[in-house]
Amino acid sequence: MKRFGHLWENLVDIGNLYSAYRKARRGKRGQRAVERFEYCREFELVKLQQQLIEGTYRPGAYRTFMLYDTKVRMISAAPFRDRVMHHALCNVIEPIFERTFIHDSYASRKGKGTHAAIRRYQQFASQNAYVLKCDVRRFFPSVDHQILRQRLARKIKDPQVLNLAGLIIDHSNRQADVPGMFPGDDLLTSLERRRGIPIGNQTSQFFGNVYLDALDHFVKEELRCKAYLRYVDDFVLLSNDKPRLAHWRMAIEQFLITLRLWLHPTKRVIIRTCDGIRFLGFRVWPNRIQLTQDHVRKVRRRLRRYQHAFEQGDLSCQEFRQRIQAWLGHSSMTTGSRYAENLLSDILAPRTAAE
């Protein structure tokens, strides 16, 4: 396998850091930390470049908060200058890994995304009678630092780039505990092997794809499943042979142990495609898509937060419109897209009436 070196010069190049800064500020220009950085961005970028060259760069402390969605998640927000650094690293190494990612991996990749994943699933579902839907249990808190470093080193041989990636990995704040032991573990293993990377980092999304790329190739090349796709830690395999899916499920469970991961015990089901599945916030059949009730409740809360921020002056009219239009675009592929517009009208009606 080819390994790539001589990457450090490109990473610390001021043009790369400026590009990373522009990516990091996208959609966040109203935040105070972003505005402070932007006010003296040339100084900040040169300072960051100097710290990288001198080897004195150290990440700052995370700000953590709980996101109450369909389930409770701990979100970790890095300081803005560290988010710039995350994008700078991904700018350089992501294209190297992108070449060997499978086509049907859809999270955090250019030209992919939720809509593309659902359309691809519908294509598979129209040709197969059964689907095995799986979810890795507590994926991000379970990512093993040693294995992740090894996966990165399979493609990267530049020691400075690997050291920077390792610094970001090791700086991960404490994640939720994931109980359980793997074959060969003893009582000290959990202390000797660190695990967990924060949800919210640009690097975490990329590291997640690197980590589970091994699973993708196992399913495609060893199990030879043609109808397979993955979005972060949610993945599906489809076939007309139900017993084969059951066999594949057992094989995947055994393979994930090598990555020190488990399948979610209640989210590894085999069902008929004609019955529809809950997938990426939607209920999906071969020929139609609907919003789930959980998704609708989440959107109600989010839209009301946007409305409140707009009324308090914390969100500009343009940003308010952009976020509303983004959600309408997200829901436009559903069979009930008119329902989405009615939901939006219902939520915003009190403000309109007040005006």
Side-chain angles (χ1 to χ4, degrees):
M1 178 178 293
K2 183 177 180 181
R3 299 174 70 224
F4 292 80
H6 306 291
L7 303 173
W8 186 247
E9 294 80 4
N10 293 333
L11 195 152
V12 301
D13 181 78
I14 197 66
N16 179 50
L17 295 177
Y18 182 73
S19 171
Y21 149 74
R22 289 177 60 87
K23 289 181 179 180
R25 75 173 184 179
R26 192 176 297 157
K28 301 178 177 64
R29 299 191 68 173
Q31 295 181 4
R32 292 182 180 178
V34 179
E35 291 177 343
R36 286 196 297 267
F37 191 98
E38 195 166 24
Y39 181 74
C40 49
R41 64 188 179 194
E42 289 81 7
F43 170 80
E44 293 288 353
L45 291 174
V46 170
K47 179 182 177 182
L48 185 58
Q49 181 191 46
Q50 184 177 2
Q51 289 178 342
L52 288 169
I53 293 173
E54 295 175 351
T56 58
Y57 167 76
R58 294 294 181 271
Y62 284 98
R63 178 176 61 87
T64 62
F65 57 93
M66 306 306 293
L67 179 64
Y68 297 90
D69 204 336
T70 52
K71 56 184 178 181
V72 180
R73 288 188 176 93
M74 186 179 80
I75 307 297
S76 303
F80 182 72
R81 67 187 298 273
D82 292 340
R83 284 180 264 161
V84 173
M85 188 65 264
H86 298 164
H87 279 280
L89 176 65
C90 288
N91 282 349
V92 172
I93 67 174
E94 191 168 358
I96 294 172
F97 287 86
E98 179 68 26
R99 301 170 193 175
T100 54
F101 286 160
I102 67 168
H103 173 78
D104 287 313
S105 167
Y106 286 88
S108 302
R109 296 179 66 194
K110 188 175 181 179
K112 304 289 185 177
T114 304
H115 287 196
I118 290 175
R119 286 193 295 267
R120 183 64 161 165
Y121 169 77
Q122 287 189 301
Q123 179 185 347
F124 287 149
S126 66
Q127 301 166 356
N128 295 276
Y130 300 98
V131 55
L132 165 62
K133 182 180 181 297
C134 297
D135 184 329
V136 177
R137 186 177 68 140
R138 295 188 179 181
F139 171 60
F140 284 105
S142 298
V143 169
D144 185 89
H145 290 192
Q146 181 178 328
I147 293 176
L148 177 56
R149 283 171 170 267
Q150 291 170 349
R151 300 296 303 176
L152 291 170
R154 285 166 59 88
K155 298 279 183 65
I156 306 298
K157 64 180 180 181
D158 188 310
Q160 290 171 296
V161 172
L162 287 175
N163 286 341
L164 177 61
L167 180 65
I168 294 171
I169 294 168
D170 291 342
H171 188 69
S172 300
N173 57 340
R174 183 177 177 82
Q175 302 296 302
D177 290 331
V178 184
M181 298 177 68
F182 294 93
D185 284 359
D186 56 35
L187 295 177
L188 297 178
T189 300
S190 61
L191 300 176
E192 296 170 347
R193 299 185 70 118
R194 286 197 60 199
R195 58 182 173 180
I197 55 177
I199 301 175
N201 280 359
Q202 174 68 21
T203 47
S204 294
Q205 305 304 313
F206 168 64
F207 289 158
N209 279 336
V210 171
Y211 204 90
L212 288 179
D213 182 56
L215 171 65
D216 297 340
H217 285 278
F218 172 75
V219 173
K220 299 293 289 185
E221 296 165 13
E222 298 295 327
L223 301 184
R224 298 193 177 279
C225 175
K226 295 181 179 179
Y228 164 81
L229 68 89
R230 178 178 61 80
Y231 190 97
V232 193
D233 60 325
D234 291 321
F235 58 94
V236 292
L237 296 82
L238 298 92
S239 174
N240 287 311
D241 187 340
K242 189 175 181 180
R244 177 177 294 177
L245 287 176
H247 169 72
W248 284 346
R249 178 171 57 189
M250 292 177 61
I252 288 171
E253 286 179 323
Q254 291 301 309
F255 178 79
L256 286 177
I257 289 175
T258 67
L259 296 177
R260 301 183 67 81
L261 299 173
W262 293 277
L263 286 181
H264 195 290
T266 62
K267 298 180 181 179
R268 46 183 180 182
V269 296
I270 300 174
I271 56 179
R272 297 186 304 174
T273 54
C274 64
D275 292 333
I277 67 168
R278 291 169 61 95
F279 190 48
L280 306 182
F282 296 90
R283 183 83 179 180
V284 188
W285 291 263
N287 58 355
R288 63 192 176 100
I289 307 167
Q290 288 184 352
L291 295 169
T292 66
Q293 288 302 311
D294 286 341
H295 185 77
V296 169
R297 283 192 290 269
K298 178 177 71 174
V299 168
R300 280 183 180 274
R301 291 194 297 268
R302 184 178 300 169
L303 292 178
R304 287 195 174 109
R305 286 200 303 270
Y306 293 164
Q307 181 184 7
H308 179 72
F310 173 64
E311 292 172 346
Q312 296 297 315
D314 296 329
L315 198 66
S316 70
C317 181
Q318 181 181 0
E319 290 174 322
F320 183 61
R321 288 179 179 274
Q322 287 175 345
R323 296 187 183 188
I324 296 299
Q325 290 299 324
W327 181 73
L328 285 176
H330 180 64
S331 62
S332 63
M333 67 185 302
T334 66
T335 308
S337 57
R338 182 173 296 179
Y339 170 74
E341 295 177 4
N342 292 338
L343 171 65
L344 181 63
S345 299
D346 178 59
I347 293 172
L348 300 183
R351 184 181 67 85
T352 305
E355 291 177 347

